[in-house]
Amino acid sequence: SAVISQKPSRDICQRGTSLTIQCQVDSQVTMMFWYRQQPGQSLTLIATANQGSEATYESGFVIDKFPISRPNLTFSTLTVSNMSPEDSSIYLCSVESGYEQYFGPGTRLTVT
Amino acid sequence: DAKTTQPNSMESNEEEPVHLPCNHSTISGTDYIHWYRQLPSQGPEYVIHGLTSNVNNRMASLAIAEDRKSSTLILHRATLRDAAVYYCILRDDMNRDDKIIFGKGTRLHILP
């Protein structure tokens, strides 16, 4: 199993600013994933982050808007850049262990 | 990514069994059937997964049709805590590039 923590748990930000979300795992993992969940919607995969390589982004998501760092096997950050109200969502970090994926509690972002 | 079809919502009485259906008529031979659930204000959590045979664990049972074009998640005795959105997901577990991609899921309401 894996226990995941995220910081901050929630934030209210002004449009045009950037926010960096941190994800910490209690064990070393190869693959980490970042998801977005817009209000009332399902989860959408943003990108996959492997340690030591560039993140792989899903269709509709670009590095300039969502830069990701993966400095070691237990930590990753996702930055939401130049925010607009449409970026208001819950952002979740996830890791894979065996056939299971474990999810963090999420970061609730509101952009005003 | 192969697609799944689930009812938008279902209702069940507390302490009764719940059968959550999922159709996946385009499933490929290497796709595993995964179920996750998302409790209110939490990240998703793994429930169960299987390939061909029925599977049981402490949370639920997974019944897979012989042709694998459908499956049913069975909660043997629902409690109020089981109220959540349940996601049926196909993933080729042997392909490291295949991801957990969420559909809309079924919102399960439990009536006391």
Side-chain angles (χ1 to χ4, degrees):
Chain A
S1 67
V3 178
I4 302 170
S5 59
Q6 288 184 230
K7 288 183 184 177
S9 58
R10 58 177 63 226
D11 207 341
I12 300 173
C13 301
Q14 291 193 341
R15 67 176 67 206
T17 63
S18 298
L19 176 71
T20 296
I21 301 168
Q22 299 179 10
C23 175
Q24 180 75 52
V25 190
D26 69 342
S27 57
Q28 294 184 337
V29 293
T30 302
M31 299 178 78
M32 296 180 79
F33 307 91
W34 286 97
Y35 288 82
R36 179 176 76 180
Q37 188 167 30
Q38 294 176 302
Q41 304 295 313
S42 182
L43 286 81
T44 301
L45 180 63
I46 297 172
T48 302
N50 290 337
Q51 197 269 334
S53 62
E54 294 285 326
T56 304
Y57 289 82
E58 298 297 308
S59 175
F61 298 95
V62 295
I63 187 171
D64 289 347
K65 175 67 175 178
F66 298 101
I68 288 171
S69 79
R70 183 77 203 275
N72 58 52
L73 291 173
T74 63
F75 188 79
S76 177
T77 67
L78 169 76
T79 299
V80 186
S81 303
N82 188 25
M83 289 184 283
S84 67
E86 291 71 35
D87 294 319
S88 297
S89 295
I90 298 173
Y91 292 85
L92 298 106
C93 171
S94 175
V95 303
E96 190 174 71
S97 179
Y99 291 158
E100 296 182 34
Q101 269 190 230
Y102 296 86
F103 289 81
T107 295
R108 183 180 294 272
L109 171 62
T110 302
V111 183
T112 60
Chain B
D1 305 296
K3 282 193 159 287
T4 62
T5 304
Q6 300 179 251
N8 289 334
S9 66
M10 290 183 62
E11 219 170 63
S12 179
N13 294 318
E14 195 178 10
E15 298 186 7
E16 291 187 357
V18 181
H19 291 235
L20 295 160
C22 181
N23 288 319
H24 29 78
S25 58
T26 60
I27 189 171
S28 73
T30 52
D31 283 332
Y32 282 72
I33 302 158
H34 290 255
W35 283 82
Y36 283 75
R37 72 178 184 180
Q38 187 173 21
L39 301 171
S41 301
Q42 294 188 28
E45 63 178 358
Y46 167 85
V47 178
I48 200 167
H49 80 288
L51 183 62
T52 56
S53 305
N54 294 344
V55 185
N56 300 296
N57 66 20
R58 63 173 181 80
M59 287 180 71
S61 296
L62 176 59
I64 301 172
E66 196 169 332
D67 64 3
R68 300 206 330 123
K69 292 183 187 298
S70 65
S71 60
T72 302
L73 179 71
I74 302 165
L75 307 179
H76 294 286
R77 190 167 167 272
T79 68
L80 294 176
R81 195 194 170 277
D82 292 319
V85 179
Y86 287 78
Y87 298 97
C88 170
I89 298 164
L90 301 184
R91 189 181 79 163
D92 182 350
D93 287 357
M94 297 299 111
N95 177 4
R96 291 187 62 81
D97 291 331
D98 209 11
K99 311 296 191 299
I100 293 289
I101 302 296
F102 289 83
K104 294 188 189 323
T106 296
R107 183 173 296 276
L108 176 64
H109 302 273
I110 304 296
L111 304 175

